[in-house]
Amino acid sequence: MSQQEIEVILSRHLAEHLAMPIFIVDPEGNMLYYNEPAEMILGIRYQDTGSMPASEWSTIFQPSEQNGTPIRPEELPLMLAMMKRHPAHRRFWIRGLDGAQRQIELTAFPLVGQADRFVGAIAIFWEISE
Amino acid sequence: MKATLWGTRGSLASPGPDTVRYGGNTSCVSVMGSEGTLLVLDAGTGMRCLGLNLPPDLRRADILLTQLHMDHIQGLPFFAPLRRPGVEVHLYGPASTTLSLRTRLMRYLSPPLFPVSLRELPVELHFHELPPEIVEIGEFTIKAQLIIHPNPTVGYRIESERAALAYIPDHEPALGAFTFPRSKEWTSGFDLAEGVDLLIHDCQYTRAEYRDRVGFGHSSLEQALGFAKLAAVKQLVTYHHDPSHSDDMIDNMLAKTTGELRPDFRVTPGMEGLEIVIGS
């Protein structure tokens, strides 16, 4: 496997040092990395999943509205940030792989590197405990 | 191909009795191909001597800048071919997100920092912004890739039919990594250096110095050896020596660190004037 783009490597390094849950995808939407705080919300360790195709992560956590209506993958903020190349934000529910249902708020933004290279997207999210 | 080191010092030119063997000039390396194509890697103060050693009838110069910090561009206006009318000069290097390569270079090559402006040079100047990653020059295929260093900075992988060289003079691949080296996929510069015959790499600090200079954009000798091992290079040339390091200090660093780590590849001290032929 060849090396990740430098902006993605630096993003991962930053995420490893932050206490905020962060999730990083490549330009095709494939999950490349999530940090330890994200593991707490997603209910599974990154070491146990490794990278994950977009088709898998966008459904495996069963994103839904408060009333249980499923959210289609293309409506998720991270997918919108990728497809439209601008930030996106949404509050919704997920089911972690530990079985727990959690309400989260998530902001996603595209990663555009030097020379306008689109190299992926990042989601920062947090659990709503109200 | 033949690589010649015209400047090996990092950050600041450091001439004097304590730096005679490793040299005091800043980054500049020439690469000559078997078909006669000449590449100039960086334009530090070592570039002046290179220019004096080139044939006066040279018609084309391809200058590949890794970045635009002063120690990598200060020799540019003193490069003799740039003062010869009609010479075709191709300058490659990173733009920033808002400024072109030409504009960024003009900040140095214009008053008050320098009396002569780029536009006053009699040569035929061509600017090439990097990335895009792959450039073909003569018999060379050159890959440029952004690497970890403050401000946009690229490293180069130069391949000919018979040899491959990587030039990464300013590089801090260990920045932010809890362990180093980590996997190939998550290591800055890996694609450039993988399996090359010759890696010319930043080895600016001792392990102790690095602890106080995290984020400055450079590597310790230990980190450079770790990076070279990960990339499975055949030979490492230590480069971008700290301006405060005397010849004896660099000798001691190399002896101590290679003695501890026992690399399974050749480690060559990067000294000014050193010539290395690969792929012959």
Side-chain angles (χ1 to χ4, degrees), chain B residues 233-245:
Chain B
V233 309
K234 295 185 179 67
Q235 182 176 183
L236 167 70
V237 168
T238 62
Y239 199 69
H240 210 271
H241 308 299
D242 192 86
S244 70
H245 289 178

Side-chain angles (χ1 to χ4, degrees), chain A residues 1-10 12-13 16-17 32-33 46 114-115 117, chain B residues 95-97 131 145-148 152 175-176 178 182 185-191:
Chain A
M1 178 178 284
S2 68
Q3 171 206 320
Q4 298 293 344
E5 296 282 359
I6 195 67
E7 295 86 349
V8 173
I9 292 175
L10 285 167
R12 174 180 172 158
H13 287 181
E16 285 176 339
H17 288 265
L32 295 175
Y33 176 73
Y46 173 71
Q114 295 288 323
R117 291 154 40 252
Chain B
S96 75
T97 50
Q145 200 169 49
L146 291 159
I147 54 167
I148 295 181
L175 179 65
F178 286 114
R182 59 195 318 170
E185 182 188 2
W186 291 98
T187 299
S188 165
F190 174 78
D191 283 354

